[in-house]
Amino acid sequence: MKQHYESNLYPFITMMNRISDIVFILEVMDGPDFLYEFSNEKAKERLGMDETILGRRFEDIYPDERAAYLRHHYLELLRTNEPVVFEIGAEDGWTGETTLNPITDEYGHITHVLSITRDVTERKQLEASLLRKSIELGMVWDHASDAIFLMNEDGSIYKVNKAFEKMLGYKEDEVKNVLIAPFFNGHNQAKHEAFLAKLHSGESFENMERQRVCKDGRIIEVLASYRPIKMSGRSFAIVMYKDISEMKEIERQLKEREERFRSLFDLNPDVIWATDPSGRIIDVNASVSHILGYAKEEVLNQKDHLLMGTEESQRSLYQSYMERTLQGESIEYNTTVPHKCGRLVDLKIKTIPIKVNNEIIGMYEVGQDITKQKRAENALKKMAFSDSLTALPNRRYIIEKIDETIQDAYLHGKMFALMYIDMDHFKEINDTMGHDAGDELLKQFSVRLQKALDDNQVVARLGGDEFLILIPDIEDEKEVEALAEKIFGSIKHDWKVDQYHFCTTSSMGISIYPIHGRNKRELIKQADEALYEAKNNGKNSYRIYRK
């Protein structure tokens, strides 16, 4: 859970670990119940909280009385949907002032609670001292960091400290005995009088968020606390203002950054997966539906990541990418994954390590749909490597294929053969019947050659009536001769082109790797020479190159 927050709220985590306040985030569960999802470094330092609290309830961590006390205030937050403030204490005398802030979803439902606890031990001790020593506040009064003032029973100000003057900009003589203080913002007299009545009847008010207007016109946000006191038979109230403008601004910035991040994540046109260090998907954006057809919930509930594939080689490669990313490296690669409907989608993947406090706690995988781009590239590649007349591979393709076959044969000790074949008397046929008929004959000749070959055997048109056949993984010359006979058997039958019926023969020259050469230049040359020998010996035959 912590990693889920840390991966999505990196700026929040960084900031919360640097402030001096104790910060928790709890998820609101059915019941209602509250589960800890995040605690900052200050919580670990001051309260001794470690990672074991994450995913646990109050009742799992605290004694019954303490758990019930916390639960009471959290339930009040759910009831009022307003910030709730209360105090907590420790056996060593430490006192914390906790503010619970609701975090809502787009529908206004409270999904999480942000708990911020400030160390108010010193302030509480100061307040107790003020109550004991009455108006003679001395050095404590003058040097307190919070604004403090005494208020008469009618609501007018009796005395202020220096921090008050510094915070609000008003000198004591500017506000003393003024019934309606000039720093009140949006003053409502009826509510003010009702508040004073409750205060002087003995009720205290702690840590109420209020806005106050400074003398220079600035509006600041304060936590205001009011306590009634009796001095010399008179009723007063001691009031303390703590400036929380900076904290509230931080809260606003955090919310804005979270919204920006969620917008970037949720509205990104590419698929974005967020995973933990084990590879488990903890979040995915809506583009997974547009690009791959899956609902977000389906992806989160899948046992295996779509990018892992089903083949062992794919899984091994994906595992290596994940391991490298979790070591801090960003990886780019292309892969193909199935759409929910069954068709294949080409994705360009970029992995990004997720770092929090210089610790990698997961990774993002950004998948860009390049299916149309790949199709266009394949079409262009096919055009570049295909013969426009016969649709067979062309010279460029077969040359590259020979290079690949040589490398494979060299590494694994294999043999392969090249067959150089052309039609006897093609020039006379072309000149007699015309070029259109000649082209049609070449197309039919190409079809017969393809039908005589297996799937791993390749025939390419070099130009004119010349064709080159690549036969990988042969055992010996006898196998080559048998295939040559099969090919000649497929092309010896009559040809029908337009209104013409005729017979024609072919000649073939064969070279074998590595017997007749170890590079493509030598092998093609020897096959060509063997073809020349076959033609000189009456045509309609094949010859294997002999040195």
Side-chain angles (χ1 to χ4, degrees):
M1 292 182 183
K2 174 188 175 186
Q3 291 171 344
H4 171 73
Y5 266 91
E6 292 185 337
S7 63
N8 290 303
L9 301 177
Y10 174 76
F12 175 85
I13 300 301
T14 302
M15 189 170 297
M16 289 301 99
N17 279 331
R18 291 178 178 172
I19 67 174
S20 60
D21 295 335
I22 295 168
V23 179
F24 294 109
I25 294 179
L26 294 91
E27 183 179 7
V28 180
M29 308 295 291
D30 291 338
D33 236 328
F34 307 88
L35 299 184
Y36 283 97
E37 279 199 356
F38 169 76
S39 63
N40 70 346
E41 294 299 323
K42 192 65 178 179
K44 300 172 185 177
E45 173 188 333
R46 184 65 192 79
L47 301 179
M49 296 295 188
D50 58 23
E51 301 292 334
T52 59
I53 72 166
L54 301 184
R56 299 174 68 189
R57 307 172 306 155
F58 301 139
E59 293 79 1
D60 300 330
I61 302 169
Y62 307 108
D64 293 345
E65 186 177 349
R66 180 67 169 266
Y69 177 75
L70 292 173
R71 183 176 179 80
H72 166 76
H73 291 290
Y74 278 73
L75 290 175
E76 183 181 353
L77 176 75
L78 295 185
R79 181 176 57 80
T80 63
N81 202 15
E82 293 289 337
V84 173
V85 180
F86 60 94
E87 290 183 3
I88 59 173
E91 293 180 357
D92 61 0
W94 177 86
T95 303
E97 184 179 85
T98 297
T99 302
L100 304 181
N101 299 277
I103 300 177
T104 60
D105 60 17
E106 59 185 321
Y107 304 107
H109 301 142
I110 299 177
T111 61
H112 295 78
V113 179
L114 171 65
S115 169
I116 301 176
T117 301
R118 176 164 293 181
D119 185 350
V120 295
T121 307
E122 182 180 352
R123 195 191 80 189
K124 301 302 291 184
Q125 293 172 349
L126 175 59
E127 289 177 355
S129 176
L130 288 174
L131 290 172
R132 287 193 303 268
K133 297 181 180 180
S134 70
I135 202 168
E136 299 297 327
L137 302 177
M139 295 295 292
V140 176
W141 170 272
D142 290 334
H143 293 89
S145 58
D146 293 330
I148 306 172
F149 60 95
L150 289 175
M151 193 166 61
N152 296 309
E153 192 169 3
D154 61 3
S156 62
I157 293 176
Y158 178 74
K159 186 175 181 61
V160 304
N161 70 345
K162 292 181 179 179
F164 174 96
E165 296 178 343
K166 182 178 180 181
M167 180 186 294
L168 297 170
Y170 291 100
K171 299 294 184 182
E172 185 176 274
D173 57 4
E174 294 179 288
V175 294
K176 189 171 183 177
N177 296 323
V178 177
L179 284 175
I180 302 175
F183 48 81
F184 285 163
N185 186 37
H187 178 71
N188 183 302
Q189 185 62 26
K191 288 184 178 181
H192 183 59
E193 290 177 357
F195 172 77
L196 290 176
K198 290 182 179 180
L199 180 63
H200 291 291
S201 67
E203 188 173 349
S204 295
F205 298 89
E206 300 288 340
N207 299 310
M208 299 187 303
E209 290 191 16
R210 294 291 183 265
Q211 289 187 333
R212 294 293 180 254
V213 182
C214 299
K215 186 177 180 180
D216 59 10
R218 288 181 300 110
I219 296 178
I220 63 173
E221 297 182 73
V222 300
L223 279 181
S225 297
Y226 299 81
R227 287 191 177 183
I229 59 173
K230 292 284 187 179
M231 295 186 300
S232 303
R234 290 182 56 189
S235 294
F236 293 90
I238 185 166
V239 185
M240 299 186 68
Y241 286 169
K242 179 177 289 293
D243 189 349
I244 58 169
S245 301
E246 184 177 348
M247 185 188 75
K248 298 299 289 185
E249 179 60 28
I250 289 173
E251 289 180 4
R252 283 190 287 270
Q253 290 178 7
L254 286 174
K255 184 176 181 180
E256 179 182 347
R257 290 180 184 180
E258 178 185 357
E259 290 174 351
R260 287 181 180 178
F261 173 82
R262 292 310 309 181
S263 296
L264 179 64
F265 186 86
D266 292 334
L267 302 179
N268 198 298
D270 298 332
V271 185
I272 304 178
W273 292 270
T275 69
D276 65 15
S278 68
R280 182 178 65 89
I281 299 173
I282 57 178
D283 202 1
V284 66
N285 68 348
S287 290
V288 74
S289 175
H290 306 146
I291 295 177
L292 298 176
Y294 292 93
K296 180 176 180 178
E297 293 72 20
E298 291 179 293
V299 176
L300 295 176
N301 292 328
Q302 283 176 339
K303 181 180 178 182
D304 292 327
H305 198 316
L306 285 171
L307 298 180
M308 292 179 65
T310 56
E311 301 294 331
E312 185 60 35
S313 58
Q314 290 177 293
R315 289 175 172 270
S316 178
L317 190 59
Y318 176 81
Q319 186 68 28
S320 70
Y321 292 149
M322 186 177 74
E323 290 173 356
R324 289 166 60 187
T325 302
L326 292 176
Q327 291 172 1
E329 184 179 356
S330 183
I331 309 293
E332 288 190 13
Y333 64 95
N334 292 347
T335 190
T336 302
V337 298
H339 190 278
K340 186 179 180 180
C341 69
R343 63 183 175 85
L344 296 179
V345 179
D346 294 303
L347 294 178
K348 181 179 182 180
I349 304 296
K350 182 178 179 64
T351 67
I352 304 169
I354 302 173
K355 288 186 177 180
V356 176
N357 295 330
N358 292 322
E359 177 187 358
I360 297 175
I361 52 90
M363 68 176 179
Y364 291 121
E365 295 165 300
V366 182
Q368 179 186 4
D369 185 358
I370 58 171
T371 306
K372 292 182 180 179
Q373 177 184 335
K374 289 288 289 186
R375 288 175 182 170
E377 289 175 356
N378 290 337
L380 290 173
K381 187 175 181 180
K382 184 176 181 180
M383 291 174 60
F385 287 97
S386 298
D387 176 58
S388 59
L389 176 64
T390 65
L392 290 177
N394 59 15
R395 176 186 291 272
R396 178 180 175 185
Y397 178 87
I398 196 72
I399 293 300
E400 291 190 10
K401 193 67 176 178
I402 292 171
D403 281 334
E404 294 175 8
T405 308
I406 289 174
Q407 184 178 10
D408 181 68
Y410 174 78
L411 291 174
H412 300 97
K414 298 178 181 178
M415 298 171 63
F416 70 88
L418 288 182
M419 297 178 170
Y420 209 135
I421 185 171
D422 68 6
M423 284 186 285
D424 301 328
H425 310 296
F426 176 74
K427 185 176 185 304
E428 291 87 338
I429 296 171
N430 205 34
D431 292 343
T432 303
M433 300 180 182
H435 291 292
D436 289 343
D439 287 348
E440 178 61 26
L441 176 60
L442 289 172
K443 291 178 183 178
Q444 295 184 23
F445 188 77
S446 301
V447 171
R448 291 191 186 183
L449 288 178
Q450 283 184 301
K451 288 183 177 180
L453 300 176
D454 293 337
D455 291 340
N456 68 329
Q457 299 165 350
V458 182
V459 57
R461 182 186 178 212
L462 301 183
D465 65 331
E466 295 182 341
F467 296 81
L468 191 61
I469 303 173
L470 171 62
I471 312 297
D473 300 337
I474 63 171
E475 296 293 334
D476 50 34
E477 284 190 11
K478 290 184 178 180
E479 181 183 350
V480 178
E481 290 174 350
L483 181 57
E485 294 289 349
K486 179 182 177 183
I487 293 172
F488 270 87
S490 71
I491 59 178
K492 71 179 181 180
H493 302 292
D494 292 353
W495 301 93
K496 182 179 182 302
V497 178
D498 296 333
Q499 73 272 25
Y500 302 106
H501 287 76
F502 59 92
C503 294
T504 186
T505 58
S506 297
S507 300
M508 178 190 293
I510 303 171
S511 63
I512 299 174
Y513 173 93
I515 300 172
H516 304 135
R518 292 182 176 274
N519 61 61
K520 64 188 175 191
R521 184 187 298 275
E522 291 178 345
L523 293 168
I524 295 174
K525 180 176 180 294
Q526 314 303 19
D528 188 34
E529 288 185 9
L531 172 63
Y532 182 76
E533 182 182 351
K535 285 186 173 294
N536 283 341
N537 285 273
K539 301 183 175 61
N540 193 26
S541 63
Y542 67 86
R543 290 287 186 275
I544 296 177
Y545 177 76
R546 303 297 179 193
K547 296 183 180 179

